[in-house]
Amino acid sequence: MYEKQILICAGTGCISSGALDIKSTLAGELEKHHLQDKVRIIMSGCHGFCEKGPIFIVYPDDVFYCEVKPEDVPELVEEYLVKGNLVERLLYKDPVSRQTVVSHDQIAFYHKQYRQVLRNCGVIDPENIDEYIIRGGYLGLKKALQMEPAAVINEVKNAGLRGRGGAGFPTGTKWQFAYNSPGDKKYIVCNADEGDPGAFMDRSVLEGDPHAVLEGMLIAGRATGAAEGYIYVRSEYPLAVKRLRTAIAQAGEYGMIGENILASGFNFTIKIKEGAGAFVCGEETALLASIEGKRGVPRHRPPFPAVEGLWGKPTCINNVETLANVPLILRRGAAWFSSLGTAGSKGTKVFALTGKVNNTGLVEVPMGVTIRGVVFDIGGGIRAGKKFKAVQIGGPSGGCIPEAHLDLPIDFDSLTAAGAMMGSGGMVVVDEDTCMVDLARYFLNFTKNESCGQCVPCRLGITQMYNILDDITQGKGKPEDIELLQELAIGVKKGSLCGLGQTAPNPVLTTLRYFRDEYEAHVLERRCPALVCRELLVYRIDAVKCIGCERCVKACPADAITGAKKEPHVIDPARCTRCGACMEACPKKVQAVECVSDGSAALSQSKEGSTCRT
Amino acid sequence: MAGLATVLGSGAMTNTIAEIEDSSCILAIGTSTTDAHPIAGYRIKKAVRKGARLIVANPKAVDLCRFADLYLPIRPGSDVALLMGMARVIVEEGLMDQKYIEERCENFDEFKQALDAFPPAFVEEVTGVPREKIALAARLYAAGKPASILYCMGITQHSHGTDNVLAVSNLALLTGNLGKVSGGVNPLRGQNNVQGACDMGLLPNVFTGYQRVDNPEARAKFEKAWGCSLSGAPGLTHTEIFDAAYNGKIKALYLVGENPLLTEANASHAAEAIKKLDFFVVQDIFLTETARLADVVLPAATFAEKDGTFTNTERRVQRVRRVIEPVGQAKPDWWITCAVARAMGAQGFDFNSPAEIFNEIASLTPSYAGISYARLEQSGGIQWPCPTAEHPGTAILHTEKFATPSGKGKLVALQYRPPAEQPDAAYPLVLTTDRSLFQYHGTMTRRAPGLDGLNGEELVCINPADAKNLGVAGGDLVDVVSRRGRVKVKAKLTRRCRPGVVSMSFHFAECPTNVLTSPALDPVAKTPETKVCAVRIEKL
Amino acid sequence: MSDLITLTIDGRPVQAAPGTSILRAALDSGIYIPHLCDHPDLEPVGICRLCLVEIEGRRPTVSCKTPVEEGLVVRTSSADLDLIRKVNLELLIVNHDYNCQSCVKNSKCQLQKVTSYVGVDEKSLRRVRKPELDHPLDTSNPFFTRDMNKCVLCGICVRTCDEIQGDGCIDFAFRGTRTKISVLGDKPILESACVSCGECVARCPVGALVPVKFEEPAYEVETVCPYCGCGCGIIVGARGGRVVSSRAVPGNQVNRGSLCVKGRFGLGYVNHPGRLTALLIRKDGELVEAAWDEALALVAEKLNSYKGDQFAAIASAKCTSEDSYVIQKFARAVMGTNNIDHCARL
């Protein structure tokens, strides 16, 4: 028997910061101390706290070491495993209280979470089906196999589960449609084409708990009468693909996948289809086209896939997180599930919390928790004591929610009402140093390139909005642009064929709604209040503070600074490219260079007629 | 033509082009439909889109193969073996339509006996196609309800072309596919009005509507109508005419819209024959290679310069209308012929318009009797037989009975006969001819700006394995030599040709493929075997 | 026949067969709904987003993809719909080479039709950023030119090639604003599997696919194609005594609105300078020009001396049936022989 187990996070994040080296070093060190039979190493899925990775937890003690490097391993073994002394410097320190925390439960990041979908992530070895089964795995399937399909669907309906892929369509209703559609063949498709930049909820589930997804698909198959399943996963997720393949093989060996599953007469097979990484293939009809080997472009609905899907057959498409919820609902019951969350949004939701917060990573909270709860309680507030400005929820086509709405409960309907959306659960926190026009431009740059190019508003409208935003950030905005942006955004939102175009204008619409003053400052006064838009900035040297050290003169790549030694230097605005090198070069004690955006920059530019685009 | 007429009573396409779309199995044999009949090709592709099975049998992997479920690369001239072999599988496996055979067919027992001569091993040997594929083709075809057979020159231009046609009809009769919507036996006629020309009696043995010249009743009818006495002896066929001219028996030839120097099998023989004529009149739209040999050349109008009718491959009579005035001195062919006749003092040639001619045709031709210009104006086309002015025309033939004396379709006991010319040591390769999408016989297409740009020169297609043996690379200039002649042409290496078979088209005057081809005639239809001749390739 | 369905479009009762789209039902009833990507021969896709309508009790939807239903109440215009169309159209216009005067499709262009319906305000149009249109012209095909600067990406050509021709040799390529219609490998069309049938050219709603050297015919005549035995109905256009165009007869039962390369582009031989325009008689071994009277007299005189089986006539399967009838009658009745045949066997 092992006395201790060490969980090393083997999520993609921790692997890239050295988890595999830690494992091999640890194995060597254990042997050195003859501990290899007493201490077992488990490579787990993602713990969610990627910022602090690689993560190294010792059970049953529940000691949480973070940011561990291979060279720390000998000390951890020697000091902790052999001598029993905590290695203080590798423990987690709370960024607010500066207190050291031993157990991961005590960490604010985890403490406020309610991990249901992520229940096994970071806890079990995802490549070992036994560990999944020990923690209640496949009990949901077993229960579903004892029920009539209609009863399974009812259970999911009663639970109030809504699709986690973005639109929030009630899952039970979708299953009902697929169940009702006549067809000799039906399909279950797992949408694992997680495309939002910075989002990795689905990847973590696939990597950390692949069987939960398989079990969800099996239950969906049982409920709808499908016997074949496809997992459409991005080929940029090689680890997820590998673990899924392992899981499918193991489930096959255990009789969970294949023919006559658990002696119930139910047959179900699962295939993996690797996508080539087009964002639009996350849209369900485009995804189906891609599986069929066609160009991945969305088509008009109806017919909905539940009626005419893959190869024209009824097809039920659910997202990874949705499916991972399903085994829990079957196992623990609809009543339990619907006790979590709000009236319209049941259960929990996983978010990828990124941006200017102290704790970034994957967080799971019950629906209805406020934005403040996530950003401040779990995220630990804004870095470097800066001021919170907004949070972009729902990925590149989500919306920016301002400070005034910090107490908005996170659920499908509240977010939509505020102009954002649940999306797949991206949450990017921005602080006072972020220009909202520039932020909108950034997101539109993504969606304009990812538009499939098929329907007119999306293909041309997003690019048009991008071009206008680009002009505005360069001080070339025209007063009528704000109104034009508004018109375009509505035209694209209401006129587009699929979800991509229908949501892509959200960043524009919400920033116009909550930060219109920033647009006006850019357009009317040629100012960027956040000091981000380069063309609108002016660098000046305070003649009083300047000590004439010539460091800025040397640092300037544009030869824009003149002045003799010991004399105050001067920046020629016409030559200045606003790169900020002078500001960095100026000694910290002096700080004679200042950056302002007061409208004079654009003036000097228009005189010179020169523009500098980056 | 002759083949179908004897067993079914009519030699035309039994169904319509549009129906192809709803066939559940299509056997396309000896046709490169997407090249030679592109619009029928669209229908085939549509049928495949709708789920039809497509079987292509052809010595060359024609474009249509891209859409096929099954491709049978048969040796040139082995069609009878293939089709009888398929019939044998169908009979052995009991896949035939027993009820249909009993009610509508005759001679089944004799036919069944003849199948004994086509065991799988023999069929495999002759066709060069594995027996499993042939059996699969038989099963697919028999399972197709309805199944349609399309064929073209690849079936008819053989020394046993009539047998080929009979073999096709056997298969359709056996499976009960004649007289059914989207079924049938469908010869795709080559030229736009080849059906109409046959219907009009442009044949040595029949008047209009296939009324035989050796039938005294028919002759009497025409003698009465035309006010003259008529010969009851069938005349010479196209190829026989050139032979007779060569032998001095034919002394005067009136040639309308034909360029035998390009299209005639063994074309150099035709040229010799023409030179021996006493008097040679050519009537054409261009001064063709042949016209240059004429004593008198009469300028004819193109289709765009005259009124009239064309009858298409599905028996649909449609109106041709004058778009522009004839160029220069050109006149419509009917006008010229009538003028010649009148100049010779003949009666019955004072037609003022094609409509008047058509009325005479309708009055003498039962299958056209109900058609008139007035009706064509309204309907946009009528399919014969159309016996009365009230009759809507006939889309599908043989729906109730066949036009044979017994009213039944005859299953014919066929034997396999090899092509007249077999490859040997001196001429080891088989040449077959085909048609390009972008060209026609050449007289017109070569003069249509642009088409030459898409396919402007003749190429001989050779399998890479054969080319390797010959030391020929793609683009090399080679001589293709047969017992009758030689042409210089560039080689194109392609796996579309099976080893041992080379193919050429016949659109180009500068490379007259038909100087090579075999004049061996089918004994019934008198069609020359342009699809099989033995050649050798000489590297230059 | 199934019963007709009755619905209301903009307050007018409209009847249509089940399965008809709202757009087609409206157009057939003389109610125009702007559209670019819909074509009666093709499956609708709903990508131009111009034919959006409002149906009572539902979200706005494209009328080309929505079948008629009994009792539907459809509105083709509202503040929302008008805004979407305006935005859409302005975007299309600035992304399109708008040199209408020099465009072959001028006055027949569907984009112009949409524009005149929606109405474009110059001032509003000036606000919109205009991209540089720099697609090179594809002049590789001898019969038609592809100008992607005029393309509105309606996809009609793509669906035509797929659904009508069955070849699918063109498709959408690239993404976002870079999207264009292209062939495999983004090569000139001539290097693709294209068979030059011109079906896409015939259906292109704008000036992106136009025949090379297009001449507007002065008049058109319906007739039959002179090439293969299919016998497609064609409408031939002419001006100044020349044939200048050919298009398919829409309702013809043989070709159902389609043509191949020869029927559409291969009629030029009629105008070929090498056409035989004069009569020629061989004199002293040379063919020299003659008059009809002279030639007819000569032929009559000569043939009179070869009556019977020393005479033969060979005619062409390209001639009309009337031509054919007359010549066989001539051979039989005048020349007294059955030596008459044609090239049926070839």
Side-chain angles (χ1 to χ4, degrees):
Chain A
M1 268 308 282
Y2 293 106
E3 288 168 9
K4 285 191 198 309
Q5 304 200 5
I6 293 174
L7 258 68
I8 300 171
C9 176
T12 295
C14 286
I15 285 181
S16 60
S17 47
L20 297 178
D21 289 343
I22 293 171
K23 184 197 172 189
S24 56
T25 317
L26 178 61
E29 289 296 315
L30 290 177
E31 271 189 43
K32 214 191 295 175
H33 293 90
H34 307 292
L35 289 170
Q36 68 270 32
D37 296 330
K38 295 190 176 155
V39 179
R40 180 181 175 213
I41 307 170
I42 296 173
M43 300 304 284
S44 74
C46 178
H47 291 242
F49 207 1
C50 308
E51 161 139 52
K52 294 289 167 190
I55 286 163
F56 185 108
I57 308 179
V58 188
Y59 284 105
D61 324 19
D62 195 8
V63 177
F64 182 92
Y65 291 110
C66 52
E67 296 182 88
V68 176
K69 294 183 178 56
E71 54 269 31
D72 298 328
V73 173
E75 184 186 350
L76 278 171
V77 174
E78 175 91 39
E79 284 298 313
Y80 186 70
L81 295 177
V82 177
K83 298 182 187 160
N85 299 327
L86 284 172
V87 181
E88 212 45 57
R89 64 176 184 90
L90 294 173
L91 292 171
Y92 176 75
K93 276 178 207 64
D94 189 278
V96 183
S97 67
R98 315 304 301 167
Q99 293 283 307
T100 302
V101 184
V102 177
S103 156
H104 93 279
D105 278 353
Q106 305 301 311
I107 298 171
F109 179 75
Y110 288 111
H111 185 65
K112 301 276 170 83
Q113 291 194 44
Y114 189 73
R115 292 168 82 92
Q116 290 304 312
V117 170
L118 302 175
R119 63 195 177 276
N120 291 329
C121 289
V123 178
I124 63 166
D125 176 355
E127 300 195 12
N128 185 341
I129 187 173
D130 290 334
E131 298 204 8
Y132 179 69
I133 292 173
I134 288 166
R135 288 179 56 94
Y138 290 110
L139 280 178
L141 172 65
K142 192 176 163 196
K143 203 164 160 196
L145 291 175
Q146 291 159 353
M147 296 160 71
E148 286 301 312
V152 178
I153 292 170
N154 267 334
E155 194 71 12
V156 175
K157 274 189 185 167
N158 292 338
L161 176 63
R162 291 172 67 174
R164 301 303 197 233
F169 191 79
T171 306
T173 310
K174 198 183 240 186
W175 288 14
Q176 185 77 56
F177 288 148
Y179 174 80
N180 290 347
S181 299
D184 53 338
K185 212 165 191 186
K186 294 181 188 180
Y187 296 98
I188 302 294
V189 172
C190 169
N191 184 348
D193 190 55
E194 189 171 46
D196 291 3
F200 57 107
M201 298 68 69
D202 294 346
R203 190 190 75 207
S204 294
V205 173
L206 294 170
E207 289 176 359
D209 197 12
H211 287 284
V213 180
L214 301 186
E215 188 180 355
M217 290 178 76
L218 286 157
I219 295 169
R222 167 66 178 173
T224 56
E228 250 183 88
Y230 279 89
I231 302 175
Y232 187 88
V233 58
R234 315 172 49 146
S235 50
E236 293 96 322
Y237 283 0
L239 186 62
V241 172
K242 174 177 165 257
R243 293 204 172 137
L244 277 170
R245 291 198 196 283
T246 308
I248 291 170
Q250 289 180 352
E253 283 167 28
Y254 276 54
M256 306 291 184
I257 292 180
E259 293 201 354
N260 196 16
I261 293 165
L262 298 176
S264 64
F266 170 58
N267 305 327
F268 198 81
T269 55
I270 295 178
K271 288 180 191 144
I272 294 175
K273 167 83 187 174
E274 288 184 54
F279 180 69
V280 74
C281 285
E283 198 279 341
E284 58 179 14
T285 56
L287 186 153
L288 294 178
S290 176
I291 294 181
E292 291 175 8
K294 301 178 190 151
R295 181 177 157 88
V297 292
R299 63 155 174 81
H300 178 83
R301 298 174 305 180
F304 288 93
V307 179
E308 253 177 63
L310 200 53
W311 291 298
K313 305 290 182 190
T315 302
C316 179
I317 304 170
N318 291 124
N319 147 278
V320 168
E321 191 182 333
T322 315
L323 289 166
N325 268 299
V326 167
L328 280 177
I329 292 171
L330 267 286
R331 202 172 91 212
R332 303 185 65 174
W336 167 79
F337 188 85
S338 61
S339 70
L340 300 168
T342 66
S345 305
K346 301 297 184 189
T348 62
K349 178 75 191 90
V350 185
F351 291 95
L353 185 62
T354 55
K356 303 289 179 65
V357 276
N358 278 306
N359 304 328
T360 63
L362 222 50
V363 304
E364 182 175 352
V365 290
M367 296 277 190
V369 166
T370 61
I371 295 173
R372 187 187 301 279
V374 174
V375 173
F376 288 91
D377 296 347
I378 297 172
I382 308 301
R383 280 185 194 174
K386 293 275 185 177
K387 206 166 158 280
F388 172 90
K389 190 174 200 174
V391 54
Q392 163 87 8
I393 301 183
S397 32
C400 278
I401 309 281
E403 193 180 7
H405 286 62
L406 264 178
D407 292 310
L408 192 75
I410 301 175
D411 63 66
F412 288 108
D413 310 311
S414 305
L415 288 180
T416 306
M421 61 176 195
M422 187 71 86
S424 57
M427 210 180 256
V428 183
V429 178
V430 298
D431 66 10
E432 55 188 323
D433 290 344
T434 306
C435 168
M436 300 313 281
V437 183
D438 185 57
L439 186 73
R441 187 187 74 109
Y442 171 83
F443 286 120
L444 262 68
N445 186 37
F446 178 82
T447 42
K448 88 171 166 43
N449 290 332
E450 292 296 340
S451 162
C452 83
Q454 190 183 212
C455 82
V456 177
C458 180
R459 175 180 74 241
L460 303 177
I462 300 177
T463 300
Q464 183 67 224
M465 287 189 283
Y466 171 83
N467 289 340
I468 294 168
L469 291 169
D470 198 40
D471 278 356
I472 294 178
T473 59
Q474 291 184 45
K476 291 188 258 172
K478 293 178 274 180
E480 61 268 30
D481 280 345
I482 297 177
E483 188 199 0
L484 177 58
L485 273 176
Q486 187 85 30
E487 275 179 29
L488 284 163
I490 293 171
V492 174
K493 191 177 178 69
K494 295 190 173 173
S496 290
L497 187 152
C498 84
L500 196 160
Q502 288 162 7
T503 58
N506 283 341
V508 175
L509 285 166
T510 49
T511 50
L512 276 174
R513 179 167 158 190
Y514 299 121
F515 301 95
R516 197 181 178 94
D517 54 331
E518 289 200 30
Y519 281 88
E520 286 170 350
H522 281 77
V523 171
L524 305 176
E525 300 163 28
R526 302 281 187 256
R527 276 194 312 114
C528 175
L531 302 182
V532 171
C533 300
R534 229 169 154 180
E535 275 77 7
L536 302 183
L537 303 182
V538 173
Y539 283 85
R540 283 194 297 238
I541 297 173
D542 187 328
V544 180
K545 288 182 183 171
C546 180
I547 56 170
C549 67
E550 287 194 314
R551 283 188 202 180
C552 59
V553 178
K554 285 171 194 148
C556 180
D559 292 332
I561 307 178
T562 52
K565 205 163 179 90
K566 305 263 163 104
E567 301 268 322
H569 302 333
V570 180
I571 301 176
D572 176 1
R575 304 186 78 165
C576 176
T577 62
R578 296 156 190 90
C579 68
C582 50
M583 205 172 194
E584 285 194 14
C586 187
K588 285 279 163 299
K589 285 177 193 162
V590 179
Q591 289 192 23
V593 182
E594 58 174 14
C595 173
V596 294
S597 183
D598 57 4
S600 59
L603 228 66
S604 69
Q605 262 172 45
S606 58
K607 262 184 231 152
E608 294 298 318
S610 73
T611 52
C612 171
R613 297 186 66 164
T614 45
Chain B
M1 265 296 303
L4 274 191
T6 46
V7 289
L8 307 178
S10 169
M13 196 167 156
T14 59
N15 292 60
T16 63
I17 293 173
E19 285 171 52
I20 298 171
E21 194 174 314
D22 294 311
S23 293
S24 71
C25 180
I26 298 165
L27 169 61
I29 180 165
T31 164
S32 179
T33 325
T34 52
D35 288 321
H37 297 88
I39 294 296
Y42 290 0
R43 297 278 94 82
I44 298 179
K45 294 177 196 175
K46 196 87 165 190
V48 170
R49 255 182 113 83
K50 289 181 172 179
R53 301 291 194 162
L54 173 64
I55 308 164
V56 174
N58 206 306
K60 192 172 171 185
V62 290
D63 175 67
L64 199 56
C65 292
R66 290 192 290 142
F67 305 89
D69 293 274
L70 183 62
Y71 167 52
L72 309 172
I74 58 169
R75 289 208 175 93
S78 66
D79 311 77
V80 166
L82 171 75
L83 295 164
M84 288 297 273
M86 282 172 66
R88 184 179 159 120
V89 173
I90 289 170
V91 171
E92 271 182 357
E93 299 187 3
L95 303 174
M96 64 278 200
D97 188 336
Q98 198 65 52
K99 186 161 170 276
Y100 185 92
I101 293 170
E102 278 160 23
E103 287 173 4
R104 303 210 43 194
C105 303
E106 58 191 15
N107 205 33
F108 176 69
D109 294 333
E110 197 193 324
F111 167 74
K112 197 177 162 190
Q113 258 184 358
L115 295 177
D116 291 346
F118 295 90
F122 170 77
V123 174
E124 183 175 295
E125 165 76 24
V126 171
T127 60
V129 177
R131 63 189 77 178
E132 296 76 22
K133 275 195 174 182
I134 292 171
L136 178 60
R139 290 180 201 126
L140 283 177
Y141 175 74
K145 303 278 180 223
S148 172
I149 305 181
L150 303 181
Y151 68 86
C152 195
M153 307 307 175
I155 280 289
T156 53
Q157 288 182 355
H158 287 282
S159 58
H160 49 267
T162 303
D163 285 357
N164 286 350
V165 172
L166 296 177
V168 165
S169 112
N170 279 345
L171 211 52
L173 285 171
L174 195 60
T175 49
N177 273 309
L178 281 165
K180 305 256 172 86
V181 177
S182 297
V185 167
N186 298 298
L188 295 165
R189 310 307 302 265
Q191 305 259 17
N192 57 333
N193 197 36
V194 65
Q195 188 65 52
C198 293
D199 296 348
M200 290 306 108
L202 263 195
L203 293 167
N205 59 339
V206 290
F207 299 112
T208 64
Y210 310 97
Q211 303 170 77
R212 300 187 61 92
V213 294
D214 53 10
N215 176 342
E217 278 175 45
R219 207 161 61 241
K221 176 167 117 183
F222 280 90
E223 282 174 344
K224 185 168 174 238
W226 291 348
C228 60
S229 68
L230 294 169
S231 162
L236 301 177
T237 65
H238 194 281
T239 313
E240 288 167 339
I241 288 170
F242 285 102
D243 286 342
Y246 189 81
N247 298 330
K249 285 180 192 147
I250 298 278
K251 294 196 162 53
L253 180 61
Y254 182 13
L255 185 72
V256 179
E258 273 273 276
N259 190 9
L261 260 56
L262 200 59
T263 57
E264 188 74 351
N266 194 2
S268 38
H269 172 76
E272 291 301 312
I274 286 170
K275 284 178 190 151
K276 295 194 178 184
L277 290 167
D278 285 358
F279 186 61
F280 182 35
V281 184
V282 171
Q283 186 169 307
D284 211 327
I285 58 174
F286 288 105
L287 192 63
T288 63
E289 295 77 8
T290 308
R292 290 178 198 283
L293 304 177
D295 296 302
V296 178
V297 183
L298 304 171
T302 64
F303 88 106
E305 297 153 350
K306 61 188 173 189
D307 283 294
T309 60
F310 286 155
T311 303
N312 78 351
T313 186
E314 51 171 17
R315 299 168 276 107
R316 189 185 302 277
V317 182
Q318 300 187 99
R319 272 285 269 117
V320 176
R321 295 182 183 86
R322 173 183 284 200
V323 182
I324 53 172
E325 287 295 307
V327 296
Q329 297 285 305
K331 295 284 182 191
D333 292 285
W334 64 268
W335 184 95
I336 301 173
T337 309
C338 287
V340 169
R342 285 197 305 270
M344 290 172 73
Q347 300 296 309
F349 287 87
D350 20 56
F351 300 110
N352 289 311
S353 71
E356 289 180 16
I357 302 170
F358 195 90
N359 288 342
E360 184 171 314
I361 295 167
S363 71
L364 290 166
T365 315
S367 54
Y368 277 66
I371 309 177
S372 64
Y373 272 32
R375 280 191 74 185
L376 292 177
E377 210 61 56
Q378 289 160 13
S379 68
I382 296 172
Q383 284 174 285
W384 65 256
C386 177
T388 65
E390 293 75 36
H391 193 281
T394 309
I396 306 170
L397 296 180
H398 320 306
T399 48
E400 275 154 31
K401 64 187 189 77
F402 291 99
T404 53
S406 65
K408 292 198 171 188
K410 187 177 177 191
L411 287 156
V412 185
L414 295 170
Q415 288 176 320
Y416 169 70
R417 289 186 294 127
E421 193 170 89
Q422 297 278 25
D424 54 23
Y427 300 94
L429 297 167
V430 174
L431 169 72
T432 186
T433 58
D434 55 17
R435 191 171 269 169
S436 156
L437 167 65
F438 301 106
Q439 293 288 353
Y440 212 76
H441 281 184
T443 309
M444 286 147 62
T445 46
R446 295 299 305 283
R447 292 173 177 91
L451 285 172
D452 250 24
L454 294 177
N455 179 1
E457 66 173 340
E458 183 65 84
L459 296 166
V460 57
C461 295
I462 312 175
N463 185 282
D466 289 336
K468 201 177 161 198
N469 291 338
L470 293 161
V472 170
D476 280 1
L477 213 52
V478 297
D479 264 353
V480 182
V481 188
S482 80
R483 289 191 171 83
R484 290 154 295 277
R486 117 176 6 235
V487 295
K488 203 182 291 294
V489 61
K490 264 190 199 160
K492 177 184 172 184
L493 307 195
T494 170
R495 288 195 170 75
R496 283 178 182 257
C497 281
R498 51 173 300 153
V501 176
V502 296
S503 79
M504 292 174 70
S505 66
F506 49 88
H507 310 299
F508 302 94
E510 57 272 31
C511 179
T513 307
N514 279 318
V515 306
L516 302 171
T517 49
S518 163
L521 293 185
D522 179 271
V524 182
K526 305 282 169 65
T527 307
E529 189 157 56
T530 59
K531 293 298 173 196
V532 188
C533 79
V535 295
R536 69 167 174 264
I537 285 184
E538 293 176 3
K539 200 185 162 193
L540 294 176
Chain C
M1 278 304 283
S2 20
D3 295 329
L4 292 180
I5 283 173
T6 307
L7 63 159
T8 311
I9 301 177
D10 289 342
R12 292 166 61 95
V14 166
Q15 287 203 318
T20 312
S21 70
I22 291 175
L23 175 61
R24 285 290 140 198
L27 294 173
D28 293 348
S29 314
I31 301 172
Y32 179 69
I33 301 176
H35 62 279
L36 277 178
C37 70
D38 192 73
H39 192 281
D41 298 344
L42 304 170
E43 290 290 322
V45 284
I47 58 171
C48 75
R49 316 305 290 171
L50 287 164
C51 72
L52 281 164
V53 293
E54 285 182 356
I55 300 172
E56 223 160 66
R58 299 188 200 175
R59 289 194 297 190
T61 183
V62 281
S63 57
C64 65
K65 289 287 285 182
T66 311
V68 292
E69 283 173 46
E70 190 64 43
L72 279 190
V73 179
V74 179
R75 278 155 48 95
T76 65
S77 175
S78 73
D80 258 6
L81 295 177
D82 295 350
L83 172 72
I84 295 168
R85 280 195 193 117
K86 178 173 162 287
V87 165
N88 236 342
L89 183 65
E90 287 179 358
L91 290 169
L92 277 170
I93 287 174
V94 300
N95 282 277
H96 176 90
D97 176 359
Y98 230 64
N99 287 318
C100 292
Q101 292 309 314
S102 62
C103 181
V104 165
K105 286 286 179 68
N106 193 13
S107 83
K108 284 167 291 187
C109 169
Q110 288 300 308
L111 185 58
Q112 285 179 334
K113 192 165 180 188
V114 173
T115 307
S116 69
Y117 177 88
V118 175
V120 171
D121 165 9
E122 264 302 321
K123 201 176 134 207
S124 176
L125 205 55
R126 270 202 299 273
R127 303 176 304 170
V128 188
R129 286 4 176 219
K130 292 167 186 61
E132 265 182 43
L133 299 168
D134 52 3
H135 292 291
L137 275 190
D138 182 353
T139 55
S140 63
N141 189 289
F143 303 116
F144 60 89
T145 306
R146 298 172 76 236
D147 183 354
M148 290 300 109
N149 301 307
K150 288 181 180 163
C151 176
V152 292
L153 289 160
C154 65
I156 284 177
C157 55
V158 173
R159 280 174 284 145
T160 298
C161 197
D162 183 34
E163 296 176 28
I164 307 277
Q165 169 57 242
D167 273 347
C169 61
I170 46 174
D171 203 347
F172 286 85
F174 308 105
R175 291 192 176 271
T177 352
R178 297 173 58 233
T179 308
K180 64 171 185 170
I181 308 296
S182 188
V183 305
L184 195 66
D186 198 22
K187 290 179 180 162
I189 186 89
L190 198 68
E191 291 173 41
S192 74
C194 170
V195 294
S196 304
C197 66
E199 290 287 304
C200 57
V201 181
R203 287 180 180 79
C204 180
V206 293
L209 294 170
V210 293
V212 172
K213 279 193 260 162
F214 176 80
E215 290 180 275
E216 182 74 32
Y219 61 92
E220 293 187 318
V221 176
E222 183 176 329
T223 183
V224 180
C225 175
Y227 281 104
C228 79
C230 289
C232 297
I234 54 173
I235 296 173
V236 176
R239 62 194 267 172
R242 287 176 303 124
V243 166
V244 294
S245 67
S246 168
R247 62 191 176 95
V249 177
N252 186 283
Q253 298 189 57
V254 177
N255 48 319
R256 297 186 179 176
S258 292
L259 285 179
C260 78
V261 57
K262 293 191 285 280
R264 191 184 309 280
F265 299 121
L267 304 185
Y269 72 89
V270 173
N271 310 330
H272 192 276
R275 271 292 299 284
L276 195 50
T277 53
L279 295 98
L280 302 172
I281 292 176
R282 192 170 297 279
K283 281 184 182 162
D284 305 325
E286 293 292 312
L287 284 172
V288 294
E289 289 196 15
W292 271 110
D293 287 349
E294 185 189 1
L296 287 174
L298 174 66
V299 173
E301 181 209 321
K302 284 283 186 181
L303 292 187
N304 259 326
S305 52
Y306 294 106
K307 280 190 175 173
D309 287 343
Q310 48 188 333
F311 170 83
I314 295 177
S316 166
K318 293 236 161 285
C319 293
T320 63
S321 293
E322 290 76 2
D323 295 333
S324 304
Y325 176 79
V326 168
I327 192 164
Q328 64 90 31
K329 181 177 178 183
F330 172 78
R332 292 186 163 115
V334 181
M335 298 305 292
T337 178
N338 283 315
N339 289 341
I340 171 78
D341 203 357
H342 71 294
C343 59
R345 299 171 184 85
L346 286 173

